[in-house]
Amino acid sequence: MNNKRKDKKGRILRNGEIQLGNGRYRYKYINNFGEEKYVYSWRLDVHDPQLAGKPIEVSLREKERQIQADIFDQITPEGGKLTVLELTEIYVSLKKNVRPTTEASYRTVINLLKKDPFGSNRIDRVKLSDAKSWLIKMQKDGKGYSTIRTIRGVLRPAFQVAVDDDLIRKNPFAFELMSVIYNDSVTREAISREDERRFLNFVQEDKHFCKYYDGIYILLNTGLRISEFVGLTLSDIDFVNMKINVDHQLQRYNGIGYKIVEPKTASGVRQIPMTEEVAECFKKVIKNRKTPKIEPIIDGYAGFLWLDRSDNPMVAMHWEKYFQHICEKYNSIYKLQIPRITPHVCRHTFCSRMASARMNPKTLQYIMGHSDISVTLNTYTHLGFEDASQEVKRISKEKSNNPLIKVV
């Protein structure tokens, strides 16, 4: 006599399997915590068709195989019941002695996850398609590529911690970001010589903005990063040897305040040679600098060249706003518009000018403070037709003046 249990189709049911009165299948098992758990499906086997009117789902025995594999590999059940937010907070708590910029990125991501429903998802239920869809939605909702890249840059290693700790089997954020969303970042091109001339002339002649002329000229002719520029102190300017000492940056963070930080890499520490024109600008800045009642000291540094109305050091945001207002005023007056110019565009422009003047690439890399020469050559060197035309003319002239080269 055969006492084996069967479903309504006459198929033998395995241990733990049962078909309920409504036709749905159930599997009972004991997880690694010793807890009694259940999973359900309207399909017993992978070959069973999806039932009309029922949700599309994995068959019961496919679920059983995954459960048994997780038990064998000692994968923590249900991802330890951690949410995406909780996992991210654990990951961040493990990161010590990080740069203030990195710490600010962590806070941004955690605050986002507290507000976004995605943060309350259990980590073992987040699939690859879920992660991709979430990032795509963020871009559609107006978040920029760099912001999304920062978010993914925190969640990817956070989920990898969960994989390494056997909380989940796969990392749903282990994919190339560019394969999911497009890079909508605005390329910051070097401005033309004519735009540079018009911009500087306008600043110099404007009654309000003329006080920023020397600083803007320095930015356009040194390649300094804006955080390096605002961090300059009186002792960093060496008029005897005609050089600028760069070994720190000045940053200001919400909730932290002013902070002196080291350059990102050892290449950022350098000495930039000054031209006579740049030196003259620095002399005027120092001459016109008002001595504050109390000299601000930040992490041991004092004598900052640029101070605001409250006698605090200016930061990047100040200069970015100055550039914005100058461009807006210029374009409101003249029909021939100038492009968007920022402190970082000044850096691009300086690098491109030096490259078009055929400065040795390694020398330019040193002046710019790039750790990788490919950044110097590929990212900052925006040469156009004018530069190419001049180079062709130069080579042609050299050939014609060389009697050893015969032109056929």
Side-chain angles (χ1 to χ4, degrees):
M1 183 175 179
N2 190 351
N3 293 323
K4 292 185 177 180
R5 293 176 299 106
K6 299 180 180 180
D7 67 359
K8 295 178 181 179
K9 294 183 179 180
R11 294 177 294 188
I12 296 175
L13 297 174
R14 300 169 182 170
N15 288 337
E17 295 177 346
I18 189 174
Q19 187 173 28
L20 304 175
N22 61 0
R24 196 180 186 192
Y25 295 94
R26 187 188 74 186
Y27 174 66
K28 182 175 73 173
Y29 67 98
I30 306 298
N31 67 17
N32 285 328
F33 289 158
E35 300 170 329
E36 190 174 274
K37 294 291 181 180
Y38 301 90
V39 291
Y40 300 84
S41 178
W42 290 101
R43 304 162 61 222
L44 177 64
D45 188 77
V46 66
H47 300 295
D48 288 352
Q50 296 285 348
L51 298 182
K54 302 298 182 183
I56 297 175
E57 59 183 346
V58 176
S59 70
L60 189 74
R61 287 180 176 170
E62 288 177 284
K63 292 182 179 181
E64 289 177 41
R65 283 195 293 272
Q66 185 61 59
I67 290 168
Q68 294 303 324
D70 287 348
I71 291 174
F72 180 81
D73 292 336
Q74 296 187 331
I75 301 296
T76 302
E78 300 176 349
K81 298 183 179 180
L82 287 176
T83 65
V84 175
L85 172 60
E86 290 168 340
L87 173 64
T88 306
E89 289 175 329
I90 291 172
Y91 167 72
V92 169
S93 71
L94 299 174
K95 307 298 289 185
K96 303 297 182 182
N97 300 320
V98 297
R99 293 172 63 89
T101 49
T102 304
E103 186 178 344
S105 296
Y106 290 159
R107 289 199 306 272
T108 297
V109 175
I110 287 175
N111 289 335
L112 171 71
L113 292 173
K114 287 180 179 179
K115 300 175 184 177
D116 195 296
F118 187 83
S120 61
N121 287 340
R122 216 172 65 193
I123 60 173
D124 62 310
R125 293 177 177 172
V126 178
K127 307 302 179 187
L128 178 66
S129 57
D130 298 327
K132 289 183 176 181
S133 298
W134 184 56
L135 298 185
I136 291 171
K137 181 180 182 299
M138 279 198 289
Q139 187 165 59
K140 288 181 178 178
D141 290 344
K143 281 192 167 47
Y145 177 84
S146 59
T147 300
I148 298 173
R149 182 178 59 185
T150 298
I151 295 169
R152 204 288 295 261
V154 175
L155 290 180
R156 184 173 183 171
F159 270 87
Q160 190 57 46
V161 168
V163 172
D164 295 341
D165 284 351
D166 296 325
L167 295 174
I168 54 177
R169 191 173 290 276
K170 294 181 180 180
N171 187 339
F173 283 90
F175 55 82
E176 290 296 328
L177 188 60
M178 288 290 288
S179 67
V180 178
I181 64 173
Y182 60 92
N183 188 348
D184 58 357
S185 302
V186 177
T187 302
R188 292 170 287 197
E189 300 287 349
I191 58 175
S192 69
R193 290 173 174 81
E194 177 58 25
D195 284 336
E196 180 181 350
R197 183 191 63 78
R198 290 192 293 131
F199 182 72
L200 284 174
N201 286 344
F202 178 76
V203 175
Q204 192 172 34
E205 296 169 5
D206 187 88
K207 292 181 179 179
H208 175 71
F209 293 120
C210 61
K211 57 188 173 184
Y212 305 123
Y213 175 84
D214 294 310
I216 292 172
Y217 186 92
I218 291 169
L219 284 169
L220 276 164
N221 290 276
T222 58
L224 283 163
R225 296 180 176 92
I226 186 60
S227 54
E228 298 168 342
F229 173 80
V230 295
L232 290 176
T233 65
L234 295 169
S235 61
D236 291 319
I237 314 304
D238 183 350
F239 292 111
V240 175
N241 298 299
M242 293 294 284
K243 64 184 181 182
I244 307 166
N245 179 62
V246 181
D247 61 7
H248 63 278
Q249 302 177 69
L250 175 64
Q251 304 277 4
R252 187 172 66 189
Y253 306 96
N254 291 332
I256 298 177
Y258 292 94
K259 193 78 176 173
I260 292 292
V261 298
E262 296 179 353
K264 287 186 177 181
T265 66
S267 300
V269 178
R270 62 202 189 280
Q271 294 175 327
I272 299 176
M274 288 190 291
T275 63
E276 291 290 345
E277 293 79 9
V278 169
E280 284 303 314
C281 285
F282 272 119
K283 288 176 181 178
K284 284 188 281 185
V285 169
I286 294 171
K287 180 181 178 181
N288 296 328
R289 179 183 184 271
K290 294 181 180 179
T291 304
K293 293 181 180 179
I294 300 176
E295 191 73 49
I297 301 175
I298 300 173
D299 296 334
Y301 285 79
F304 294 96
L305 296 184
W306 288 276
L307 303 175
D308 62 17
R309 294 178 181 177
S310 302
D311 289 339
N312 291 316
M314 289 184 183
V315 292
M317 181 187 67
H318 288 97
W319 288 91
E320 287 163 0
K321 286 295 183 182
Y322 300 153
F323 274 83
Q324 177 188 338
H325 295 155
I326 291 168
C327 290
E328 289 174 349
K329 184 173 182 179
Y330 183 99
N331 289 333
S332 68
I333 297 173
Y334 300 103
K335 290 183 178 179
L336 182 59
Q337 307 280 282
I338 57 172
R340 179 173 177 264
I341 303 174
T342 67
H344 206 72
V345 167
C346 292
R347 180 168 159 81
H348 278 259
T349 300
F350 171 80
C351 190
S352 295
R353 294 282 186 274
M354 296 300 101
S356 64
R358 304 192 303 282
M359 176 180 281
N360 181 286
K362 293 299 292 183
T363 301
L364 184 54
Q365 178 190 359
Y366 169 79
I367 292 175
M368 298 301 293
H370 295 152
S371 59
D372 189 339
I373 195 168
S374 65
V375 177
T376 310
L377 298 175
N378 300 329
T379 305
Y380 288 89
T381 308
H382 300 294
L383 305 183
F385 174 78
E386 181 183 353
D387 303 287
S389 178
Q390 289 181 357
E391 188 69 1
V392 169
K393 290 177 181 177
R394 179 188 65 81
I395 294 173
S396 178
K397 184 177 180 180
E398 289 178 357
K399 283 184 177 181
S400 63
N401 292 336
N402 190 339
L404 297 178
I405 300 176
K406 292 183 179 180
V407 179
V408 181

